[in-house]
Amino acid sequence: MTLRKSLVASAVLAATLGLTGCGGSSDSSDNTTPEQPTNTAPTDISLSSTSVNDDLVGAEVGALSATDDADSGFTYTLSADEARFEIVDGNTLKLKDGIALNYEQQTEVSVSVTVTDAGGLSFAKELTVTVADVAPEAGVNLYEFDSKLGSGSSVSYTGQIARHALSAEIKNYIGQLTGDFVTTNSLTGDAVKAQLMALWGDYEAIKDGSLNFADGIETEQNSFAQISSSGKELSGKVAGADAAKMHKDWLAAGSFVGWSEFGAEAATPEGLVFHYFDLLAANIDKYNAGELLVDPAGNQITKLYITETGLDLNQLIQKHTLGALMFSQGTDDYLDEGLTTDNIVAQKDGALYTTLEHQFDEGFGYFGAARNYLEYSDDEIAGKGGRDGFANGYNDYDSNGQIDLAAEYNWGNSTNAAKRDRGATVTTDFTAAAMNAFIAGRKIINDNVGSELSDAQMDELLAHRDIAVANWEKAVAATVVHYINDTLADLDEISDGDYSADNFADLAKHFGEMKGFALNFQFSPFSPFNDDANAGKFAELHALFGDAPVTGDADAIAAYKADLETARDLMQQVYGFNAENVANW
């Protein structure tokens, strides 16, 4: 029985093997692993739209798509150093927040995109985005708004322009004060100070005078009075002299930080201006007495606004004024508490604007931008070339053959914003970010004349305000970094003790611009220097700068350079600047 079972089993096995060996089994394919499809890399990248309007901050460009053997699972990336664009929502290419493209600067830009499929294979392509020129439109890309209270424009800030003009006239006047000019015109220290005090604080005395700073420009206004009729003294609006709405009592001891020696003057923002006037007058009197002004290397100083300790008083006065008056009034008055004012009725009988409209305009006026600021390239705003009719920082956009200083001219910090944007290695756009925010904020106000802003509308207005003042301040901060770099280069020129009068003048100029601009930050309640995390850093910055450049032996200069490099690092940390820009501005 056992034998028979064994024989049967052997027969069955033999039969089975025989069938398999003959290939007659129908299930042979079931024992073979199916061939898997081979993944191939994507072969192209497309963009649903390849054009973006100029001056539109943070604009979306289009949706990215890939050509591949699959239709999903793609990851799109940009290079780590791409400063203008970003990818959001997986496949949408857009400009980064705060960045716009400027048709007047570039008509097209390139961006390199890499797509990686689900299998890890990649393809890269350089895409071209064209920049569409957009015609100026009131309330969109032009700071113009029709009145809701009558016929005409509701925009008015001539007082601010008059003060810009006064500051420009002071700079122009001081810039003439060489030894030869003083001798030819028989000027004394007292005479020079009297003229400066009139320009600073006696509008009635100078309002009918010529605008010498604008020589060579065909302007609509030929005197200060033609800009604004009366009462536009600088003295009345400098921090401390105008106590209204200020976040600090600038007349209190210790409130004003950043300068230690005031001579016979008060230790206040205005007292520092008067101290600079005193130093200038003393230089002129010394020159008239026959004493040579010499720098530490023994070179004669012929520009009498440069002191023997290396202070360029012209630069210090102008840059300090931009902070203690323009930046202070703009941020700490009009764009702070000024935004809580009435938006229902005219500010006064016959006015075409509400108080809120006017307050916002006055804040914008201190930034100094022309109404069609977004129509310029950075080169043009900075006065570094460009198209006919724009290249010198002003443009006759109403085509009447003259430049309206109150609407068609770029002043003060608006020009610094363009200078730093054009000098950035990694793209910044302080100009477009600030100007778009100013326009958008003003539009909210204009659209709602006749009623108070709702909480939501006020929140939106304040958000635009914050963007505007942040970019205004970043432009100033980047300018401080720029002049730290220039001062470091100047110190290299004088470190061996053998240098020219021009080398010393360059050092004085660049130190004056660095120090003067750096005094500005304390005047804004919105400055990052006011953050708890940055407590004490403003005073630290100015301790590193000192009140004059170091011009001693090589070891002292080397130590001072180290201090300036520390100050530069501090500025990078406080403002979050890109390291490459900080090194190259």
Side-chain angles (χ1 to χ4, degrees), residues 84-268:
R84 294 169 300 195
F85 294 95
E86 62 182 349
I87 295 171
V88 298
D89 300 329
N91 69 334
T92 299
L93 182 69
K94 71 177 288 290
L95 291 166
K96 291 182 177 179
D97 293 344
I99 300 295
L101 299 180
N102 187 325
Y103 177 85
E104 287 72 33
Q105 200 78 24
Q106 293 175 290
T107 58
E108 62 180 32
V109 298
S110 297
V111 55
S112 182
V113 180
T114 298
V115 60
T116 303
D117 67 16
L121 299 181
S122 299
F123 173 80
K125 183 177 181 180
E126 189 170 274
L127 303 176
T128 298
V129 177
T130 60
V131 186
D133 191 19
V134 178
E137 181 180 348
V140 177
N141 56 358
L142 188 67
Y143 197 92
E144 291 284 8
F145 298 89
D146 290 336
S147 175
K148 301 292 181 64
L149 303 171
S151 178
S153 173
S154 66
V155 177
S156 176
Y157 49 86
T158 55
Q160 286 60 46
I161 301 305
R163 293 188 180 95
H164 278 300
L166 287 166
S167 179
E169 192 68 16
I170 288 173
K171 186 172 187 292
N172 180 77
Y173 178 73
I174 295 175
Q176 300 177 92
L177 296 177
T178 64
D180 288 345
F181 185 86
V182 165
T183 299
T184 300
N185 292 278
S186 302
L187 295 175
T188 64
D190 285 346
V192 167
K193 185 173 180 181
Q195 176 62 14
L196 292 174
M197 291 298 287
L199 288 167
W200 183 262
D202 191 351
Y203 199 70
E204 286 301 310
I206 56 85
K207 69 178 184 179
D208 294 320
S210 298
L211 306 176
N212 297 302
F213 73 88
D215 280 353
I217 306 174
E218 188 67 33
T219 57
E220 290 186 26
Q221 302 92 344
N222 295 303
S223 69
F224 297 103
Q226 289 178 2
I227 300 174
S228 190
S229 59
S230 62
K232 298 303 181 286
E233 288 84 2
L234 295 170
S235 62
K237 291 295 185 178
V238 68
D242 177 9
K245 305 175 185 175
M246 295 290 103
H247 74 287
K248 290 177 71 173
D249 178 1
W250 296 105
L251 301 183
S255 288
F256 178 49
V257 178
W259 199 271
S260 57
E261 176 55 49
F262 293 79
E265 305 294 345
T268 64

